[in-house]
Amino acid sequence: MRSVSSLALLALAGVTLGACAVGPDYVAPASPVSGAFIGAGAVAQRAAPAAIIDQAAWWKGFNDPVLDGLVERALAQNLDLAQATARVTQVRAGLSAATAALLPSGGVQASAARVHVSTQTPTGRLLSATPGFDRDGQLYEANVTGGWEIDVFGGLRRDREAAVADYQAARVGVAAARLSVAAQTADTYLVIRGLQARLAIARGQVETQTRLVGIVRLQQSRQVASELQLRQAEGALAQTRAQVPVLEEGLEAAMNALDVLLGAQPGATRAELAAAAPVPRAPAITEAAGPADLIRRRPDLAVAEWRLRASSAAIGSAISEYYPKFSLTGLVGTATTASGTAFESPANQLQGVLGLRWRLFDFGWVHAQIKAAKGRNAESLAAYQQSVLRATADVEDAFSSLVKREDEARILVGGEQSLSQARASSELAYKAGAVSLIEVLDADARLLAARDARAQADTEAARAAVRSFRALGGGWSAAQG
């Protein structure tokens, strides 16, 4: 019993010595950004609807029930999001294993054996020469065992610290995946509405030019217009018609992409989105405190920092291999050759062992592992800082695109009105013989280009708003992580 008490005291001393773990403690890196966003002022001055209430459900600011339903379905059914959620379960298991490694382990062993010894082996020949030797025998044994690796220098605690960081990264990764899925769904929906608007413009222009071809054909039959004018009108019509299948191809691809985001077979939402609808107007953006604020607002940056934490803890885990590892194991049980004497005093057995493992002649390998861990940590730090800079650039790019595209759309509205009037005037003048057909066709081409450009500008402005919300973190904060 005295030896067991000594082992217990040694274990307690090991725990006391292990209050501090080897290796560096994590220190949050300095932010590589500061100040305010360059484009924040211009975004704040936009003529947009009232600010949306729930930043976490930013897509509702577009005031489009169809978009709301699609995003909610994507968040419930998207398979990339399902994978991110499944990874949390896997990483949680790793955390449980790292936690269990710090705790004592135990088990129960029991066996009952009957033996008929061979007399042809060296041992059998020796035993058979012993008076009263019995070739048949029994052995009954039952033990309770326990073991504990005493984490004197903190290697196991560093392993658990890394496992906690990996788990937190996986959890926040789900939030990052949700933001990405919502943004991709909204963006794809806006692309669909934009292509539908452009298709409507192109088809409307086809109808207008078809009527013009009919007029020219009638005039040519009456020898008022020449064959050249008819062929020019027909060629212009063909050029406009050729745009329709290209836009239809893009629309079909966008609808297929939306179905995949919804976790559905391509074609599942065709009927639902068959009816064209206007591109929803981009909502106001009010929460853009500054680049440094992104660190607590963007889940992908939180993931990068948790990975940095894990790489820092891995350095301590590698350094701990320089030091000896102590383990304590024990056994309490009974062993007997007669089942009736089990658990009687003569059959009881007790064992306690203090183990030592030390890579005393393998320090070259340990040093290499430490260098590799420090290299991974430096890489993670650079990746984190680069992610912050890219996140800031994402916001600036999205803000600039939003403001400039809205400016473009406003300018094109006036230009479209003027070109529409010019086109109507040119057709009247052509019918009166005051201008040539070329001027009418030129007015058609200019009007089509202006309308198409405006539709694209409206779409890109709305998409830039989606990118802005995504770049700003979509209402997520580190406190939710």
Side-chain angles (χ1 to χ4, degrees), residues 309-476:
R309 282 176 177 263
S311 67
S312 176
I315 297 175
S317 178
I319 291 175
S320 71
E321 292 297 322
Y322 272 138
Y323 301 92
K325 310 287 185 182
F326 297 98
S327 62
L328 181 64
T329 59
L331 178 150
V332 176
T334 182
T336 180
T337 57
S339 60
T341 61
F343 302 106
E344 293 183 357
S345 180
N348 291 341
Q349 58 183 358
L350 177 66
Q351 180 181 3
V353 178
L354 176 66
L356 169 66
R357 179 178 66 83
W358 196 0
R359 308 184 76 111
L360 191 59
F361 302 104
D362 206 8
F363 281 175
W365 179 89
V366 175
H367 185 63
Q369 295 301 307
I370 294 172
K371 289 185 67 176
K374 288 182 177 179
R376 287 190 291 269
N377 179 249
E379 180 183 8
S380 296
L381 175 59
Y384 169 75
Q385 292 175 329
Q386 181 79 332
S387 297
V388 174
L389 294 176
R390 285 177 176 166
T392 305
D394 287 345
V395 176
E396 298 288 9
D397 291 346
F399 281 2
S400 176
S401 179
L402 174 59
V403 173
K404 302 305 181 184
R405 287 293 190 167
E406 287 183 336
D407 288 344
E408 179 190 15
R410 281 192 293 271
I411 293 170
L412 286 170
V413 167
E416 181 185 345
Q417 292 173 351
S418 297
L419 288 171
S420 180
Q421 293 171 0
R423 199 278 172 195
S425 298
S426 67
E427 183 173 359
L428 291 174
Y430 170 71
K431 291 178 180 179
V435 299
S436 68
L437 179 64
I438 295 298
E439 294 181 67
V440 179
L441 297 178
D442 181 65
D444 275 341
R446 291 176 182 273
L447 179 59
L448 174 60
R451 286 176 173 171
D452 188 71
R454 181 180 57 79
Q456 291 186 64
D458 288 339
T459 303
E460 291 305 315
R463 295 181 69 192
V466 171
R467 291 195 296 273
S468 298
F469 285 116
R470 181 177 183 175
L472 290 170
W476 183 86

Side-chain angles (χ1 to χ4, degrees), residues 73-100:
R73 282 159 57 186
L75 293 177
Q77 301 171 184
N78 181 266
L79 297 179
D80 287 331
L81 188 53
Q83 292 177 59
T85 304
R87 281 193 290 271
V88 175
T89 303
Q90 299 172 42
V91 178
R92 185 188 294 118
L95 174 59
S96 298
T99 302

Side-chain angles (χ1 to χ4, degrees), residues 273-299:
L273 298 177
V279 177
R281 186 181 177 190
I285 298 174
T286 57
E287 296 191 13
D293 190 53
L294 285 182
I295 295 174
R296 67 175 183 84
R297 290 181 57 89
R298 283 196 38 155

